Amino acid sequence: VDHSQILLSLGDLPGLPNAEIERVSGFRLELKWEKSYSRKISFEDQLMLVVYCPDLKMTDGFIGGIKRNALKCEFDFDERMAGYDVEVYLGVTSSDRKKIANSVYLGRLRP
């Protein structure tokens, strides 16, 4: 499977510019992005984060709770994935869930 080709969401809401991900511990990741300037967005838009471990066939993540204007977030994913590579995907949805952005593959994080 080419994980970089997987699309989890498709829409015309602008995504998060220059999003970067880092694994800061075995099961904690840190995500940062730049401020968006577009009439199509709301600072109330919310993140969708998916962490997938191919070896364990496990997924973790969230939809909502972190807003576009936060510019960063930390997430503790399932501890069982701590010693494994994980694939990370990011999306954005409007707070009312009527709009969504194309998901973005952020890459593979190694333990």
Side-chain angles (χ1 to χ4, degrees), residues 13 40-48 63-69 91-101:
L13 184 66
K40 294 183 178 182
I41 68 158
S42 166
F43 292 112
E44 298 295 312
D45 293 343
Q46 299 178 358
L47 271 64
M48 174 179 71
I63 299 174
I66 305 294
K67 296 180 182 176
R68 180 187 292 270
N69 65 351
V92 181
T93 182
S94 60
S95 59
D96 64 4
R97 305 295 190 262
K98 291 183 178 180
K99 299 178 193 171
I100 197 161

Side-chain angles (χ1 to χ4, degrees), residues 65-82:
I66 305 294
K67 296 180 182 176
R68 180 187 292 270
N69 65 351
L71 304 181
K72 67 178 181 175
C73 102
E74 289 186 353
F75 178 66
D76 291 340
F77 54 89
D78 193 307
E79 292 180 21
R80 293 175 287 180
M81 294 188 266

Side-chain angles (χ1 to χ4, degrees), residues 18-33 49-51 71-77 82 84-90 105-111:
N18 299 315
E20 296 180 0
I21 193 101
E22 178 183 2
R23 195 171 196 160
V24 293
S25 76
F27 58 90
R28 174 173 280 199
L29 58 83
E30 182 178 84
L31 174 65
K32 295 180 183 179
W33 60 94
L49 185 71
V50 176
V51 180
L71 304 181
K72 67 178 181 175
C73 102
E74 289 186 353
F75 178 66
D76 291 340
F77 54 89
Y84 296 90
D85 290 353
V86 293
E87 311 292 337
V88 183
Y89 301 86
L90 174 66
Y105 174 67
L106 293 179
R108 175 176 292 151
L109 296 178
R110 301 199 180 273

